[in-house]
Amino acid sequence: MILPNGVTEASMRAALTEFSAIVGNEWFFGPENERLTAYNDAYPLDDLAQQGYMMSNASLTWRGPENRYSVAVYIDNIENETLKATSFVQPIVGLPVVTLEAPRTYGIRARFNF
């Protein structure tokens, strides 16, 4: 086995023994760019996975004297993208379940402190 500089065979074997104790004896090392979906999940969700995205929110708040009251305007999900919050396969029936984030939402909030 080829070892990195400064790593002894004894320390490598000890590390592998500890690794096996944590994750078990069935594991796989392969090229970094190889997709291992089949090893990650019994129900691969490649088509349900959320791709990278950007979601912006903004708000502007005006506060009254001594913070007794405030009024805020806000907008969430400015880009109005359809985003998957969660996705999984329901284990008993085997149906995919996807929860979506809220679409663009805007409004006014008022607060009064007593």
Side-chain angles (χ1 to χ4, degrees), residues 42-98:
Y43 303 100
L45 299 175
D46 284 344
D47 54 334
L48 297 177
Q50 175 64 55
Q51 300 303 313
Y53 66 92
M54 180 177 132
M55 183 170 68
S56 306
N57 302 324
S59 66
L60 179 64
T61 303
W62 177 78
R63 298 184 195 289
E66 300 177 11
N67 286 330
R68 298 271 308 160
Y69 52 90
S70 65
V71 177
V73 293
Y74 70 92
I75 181 168
D76 293 336
N77 192 1
I78 294 171
E79 293 83 7
N80 199 28
E81 293 289 331
T82 302
L83 303 171
K84 298 169 188 152
T86 60
S87 59
F88 62 94
V89 174
Q90 199 282 339
I92 295 173
V93 183
L95 294 174
V97 177
V98 177

Side-chain angles (χ1 to χ4, degrees), residues 10-26:
S11 66
M12 183 65 171
R13 291 198 187 284
L16 288 173
T17 300
E18 185 176 344
F19 181 80
S20 294
I22 295 170
V23 299
N25 290 322
E26 292 185 27

Side-chain angles (χ1 to χ4, degrees), residues 29-40:
F29 291 109
E32 288 182 28
N33 60 351
E34 185 177 330
R35 294 194 45 97
L36 299 175
T37 305
Y39 295 97
N40 294 337

